[in-house]
Amino acid sequence: QQQVKQSPQSLIVQKGGISIINCAYENTAFDYFPWYQQFPGKGPALLIAIRPDVSEKKEGRFTISFNKSAKQFSLHIMDSQPGDSATYFCAATSGYRGTSYGKLTFGQGTILTVHP
Amino acid sequence: DGGITQSPKYLFRKEGQNVTLSCEQNLNHDAMYWYRQDPGQGLRLIYYSQIVNDFQKGDIAEGYSVSREKKESFPLTVTSAQKNPTAFYLCASSIVGTGGSYNEQFFGPGTRLTVL
């Protein structure tokens, strides 16, 4: 059962444009939502993360928007650069409150290509 | 230079053979994880371990086995019972903290396994 649905599967934007990746989840026990960035042939690395008690979190050109009632969250990349070309995964975990184990459930991934 | 190492980077196996993937970390993390990555399916958890000599099945454990005899090592064996073993395998580790904080998972560079 897929508990985190991610779209689109692939995305092409021009340099300087805005990249938007969307995720939706089903499990209301999820209480932490990280995004990972993966370059070809490498392991994923944590990019930015959000808790559901805030609606938005911004770090540089990367912003997460969170809609708890709709059970949706999205990653916005402003002023997209060719160096942002990578695969992006959203994830969710219920390990934030009270437990020491943060089992991650990943979305399917989005391949982002930024053309110069 | 702290981090997670996986070896080999590429691995070829004939059908019917068992093969073991290595994962070593020097981050002093208690928890370690194995994920499988397939195109369009994101990362799926195979096994995880929170402490030496203990491990738990993830979502797709069938056809795989692990051991955790040392804190820094978590090898994964892909057995001949795994029906479709060709994939990119990722190892990760994290601290095991108290509730109220997200314990970021750090990923290794991965091993690409191809069954011939």
Side-chain angles (χ1 to χ4, degrees):
Chain A
Q1 180 184 0
Q2 178 59 259
Q3 292 185 303
V4 179
K5 296 183 179 180
Q6 183 173 347
S7 62
Q9 281 191 319
S10 62
L11 180 62
I12 299 174
V13 300
Q14 294 296 317
K15 179 181 177 181
I18 302 173
S19 304
I20 302 174
I21 303 170
N22 301 299
C23 286
Y25 64 97
E26 301 167 358
N27 188 348
T28 55
F30 288 147
D31 56 10
Y32 202 74
F33 302 88
W35 284 87
Y36 279 80
Q37 180 187 54
Q38 182 182 33
F39 293 104
K42 306 293 184 183
L46 181 65
L47 182 65
I48 187 173
I50 196 169
R51 292 174 54 189
D53 54 353
V54 298
S55 59
E56 185 176 281
K57 182 174 182 180
K58 183 176 181 179
E59 290 184 2
R61 296 184 293 108
F62 300 90
T63 299
I64 301 178
S65 297
F66 190 86
N67 185 330
K68 187 175 181 179
S69 60
K71 292 187 286 186
Q72 296 175 346
F73 57 110
S74 60
L75 176 69
H76 296 235
I77 306 175
M78 310 300 289
D79 187 25
S80 299
Q81 299 296 312
D84 297 330
S85 297
T87 300
Y88 292 82
F89 293 97
C90 61
T93 180
S94 57
Y96 192 90
R97 296 198 190 104
T99 64
S100 59
Y101 171 60
K103 179 182 174 183
L104 287 171
T105 298
F106 284 88
Q108 299 95 322
T110 297
I111 301 172
L112 171 65
T113 302
V114 182
H115 285 158
Chain B
D1 194 20
I4 301 174
T5 58
Q6 292 186 242
S7 61
K9 187 174 179 66
Y10 299 96
L11 188 57
F12 298 90
R13 188 195 93 177
K14 293 182 179 179
E15 280 192 39
Q17 289 181 337
N18 293 356
V19 63
T20 298
L21 282 60
S22 169
C23 177
E24 303 276 336
Q25 55 96 2
N26 60 5
L27 300 170
N28 200 31
H29 287 168
D30 286 302
M32 297 187 74
Y33 315 80
W34 273 105
Y35 292 90
R36 170 180 172 143
Q37 183 175 4
D38 297 281
Q41 295 194 52
L43 281 69
R44 293 179 291 168
L45 184 64
I46 304 172
Y47 268 98
Y48 62 94
S49 169
Q50 289 186 274
I51 195 170
V52 173
N53 292 323
D54 185 58
F55 47 83
Q56 305 295 327
K57 292 182 179 180
D59 300 319
I60 55 166
E62 184 176 354
Y64 300 97
S65 65
V66 294
S67 63
R68 187 84 187 276
E69 298 177 359
K70 298 186 296 182
K71 183 176 182 178
E72 58 271 20
S73 179
F74 191 41
L76 174 74
T77 297
V78 184
T79 75
S80 56
Q82 170 51 232
K83 296 181 180 179
N84 185 21
T86 295
F88 189 51
Y89 290 86
L90 288 158
C91 178
S93 71
S94 73
I95 64 171
V96 176
T98 57
S101 64
Y102 173 62
N103 302 319
E104 177 185 350
Q105 293 186 21
F106 295 84
F107 286 82
T111 292
R112 186 165 298 280
L113 173 64
T114 302
V115 174
L116 304 173

